[in-house]
Amino acid sequence: MGVYAAVGGPGDGDGGGTDRAATARASSPAPSSGRPAPPREDAKKPSGGSPSPTGAGSGRPSASASAPAASGPLKGKIVVIDPGHNPGNFQHSSEINRKVDIGTNWKECDTTGTATDAGWPEAKFTLDVAHRLRDLLTEQGATVKLTHDADRPYGPCVDERARIGNEAGADAAVSLHADGSGPGNRGFHVILPGPVNKGAADTRAIVGPSRDLGTRIAGRFVSVTGSAPSNYVGDGTGLVTRTDLGGLNLSTVPKVFVECGNMRDGKDAALLTSGAWRQKAAQGISEGIVGFLGG
């Protein structure tokens, strides 16, 4: 299961909010990150802002280097992992607030994401799970690319996140997040692309395979983590279809978002801040991807 299974990863007790991010604050056992990290609605919020100059992050550095593939059932397959947000986003508000074209409308480049009440940010959660997931998939023989590895000051913007997966010719792409909804709202959900054909966005070819990918991830996530599907969206299925997310709208490869839990609920936060649980989350997502790719 990789080195993270043994050591628990950085900040074992050491994360993003969707359009449902609430202002109410639930108690959380997570330790402080050393800086205030109030909840912030992320780039998943529907936005009908007017067009403005676009920016694709800080100079569009190339995506993080591929993890070397091993021999295994996924040999020859390419998986792109997109850790939601960036730990440095909070220092670049003007850059991440810049609007980019997502086909259906214009939207913020990126956001800071949400955080637990103790201040542990979604961006650190997503990077940790991304590293664990990369290790697991590499062991299966996949070539794995991250859209970023905290190796750039901010971003990438949502349009560039999609473009990285497209240009890699990914067989599957997964964007990792944690929600920022209200206390009492618990569980995970997987966001699927809906049919869009407007401007630069055309998801018609990926709607079916993305649903297959998302359904497999949801099923394995339940089995491995023991977490229940969301009790506040998805009608108990753990699956939600949306057409307002740039990372999905602009994707030409099968792609889903995984909201692993709600950082603003104390019970969910206790899971999200546990290294052992994050390893299970990565394992469940990995098994879903392996099933989708026929491994």
Side-chain angles (χ1 to χ4, degrees):
M1 294 179 67
V3 66
Y4 278 91
V7 303
D12 232 21
D14 265 351
T18 68
D19 57 302
R20 295 170 300 282
T23 56
R25 302 173 67 85
S27 83
S28 163
S32 170
S33 64
R35 67 170 178 82
R40 168 84 179 262
E41 294 178 354
D42 73 3
K44 298 187 289 298
K45 177 178 177 180
S47 170
S50 347
S52 65
T54 183
S58 53
R60 284 203 62 207
S62 59
S64 297
S66 306
S71 179
L74 297 189
K75 190 167 182 61
K77 301 294 185 181
I78 299 171
V79 179
V80 169
I81 302 172
D82 177 28
H85 315 288
N86 181 319
N89 277 357
F90 76 102
Q91 295 177 316
H92 297 275
S93 57
S94 61
E95 291 91 344
I96 67 171
N97 286 330
R98 189 170 43 199
K99 298 291 180 66
V100 298
D101 185 1
I102 67 166
T104 54
N105 55 279
W106 290 70
K107 201 162 189 177
E108 291 81 3
C109 157
D110 200 6
T111 68
T112 60
T114 190
T116 64
D117 282 345
W120 194 52
E122 179 188 2
K124 289 190 176 180
F125 168 83
T126 62
L127 270 175
D128 180 80
V129 176
H131 293 157
R132 297 168 187 270
L133 180 57
R134 176 182 60 190
D135 291 349
L136 291 167
L137 291 170
T138 301
E139 289 172 3
Q140 296 292 314
T143 296
V144 181
K145 298 183 179 182
L146 271 60
T147 57
H148 76 96
D149 199 4
D151 50 358
R152 53 192 293 165
Y154 66 90
C157 295
V158 294
D159 56 344
E160 185 183 351
R161 289 172 185 267
R163 187 163 57 249
I164 290 168
N166 298 345
E167 292 178 353
D171 296 288
V174 175
S175 188
L176 301 172
H177 292 270
D179 207 353
S181 190
N185 290 341
R186 297 200 61 196
F188 78 94
H189 62 280
V190 181
I191 304 177
L192 315 173
V196 174
N197 182 23
K198 186 175 181 181
D202 187 352
T203 63
R204 291 173 295 176
I206 67 164
V207 166
S210 296
R211 174 167 285 275
D212 184 16
L213 171 62
T215 300
R216 290 175 184 272
I217 289 175
R220 296 311 303 157
F221 200 90
V222 169
S223 297
V224 177
T225 67
S227 293
S230 170
N231 63 6
Y232 58 101
V233 291
D235 298 321
T237 66
L239 301 175
V240 177
T241 300
R242 292 178 61 172
T243 59
D244 62 300
L245 304 180
L248 297 181
N249 284 5
L250 299 175
S251 182
T252 58
V253 300
K255 184 173 183 179
V256 299
F257 280 35
V258 182
E259 297 278 2
C260 295
N262 176 22
M263 298 194 99
R264 310 303 296 165
D265 174 81
K267 291 180 179 179
D268 267 14
L271 298 175
L272 297 167
T273 55
S274 161
W277 187 90
R278 294 196 299 273
Q279 186 65 32
K280 291 179 181 178
Q283 182 71 42
I285 296 168
S286 172
E287 290 183 8
I289 295 171
V290 171
F292 171 72
L293 295 178

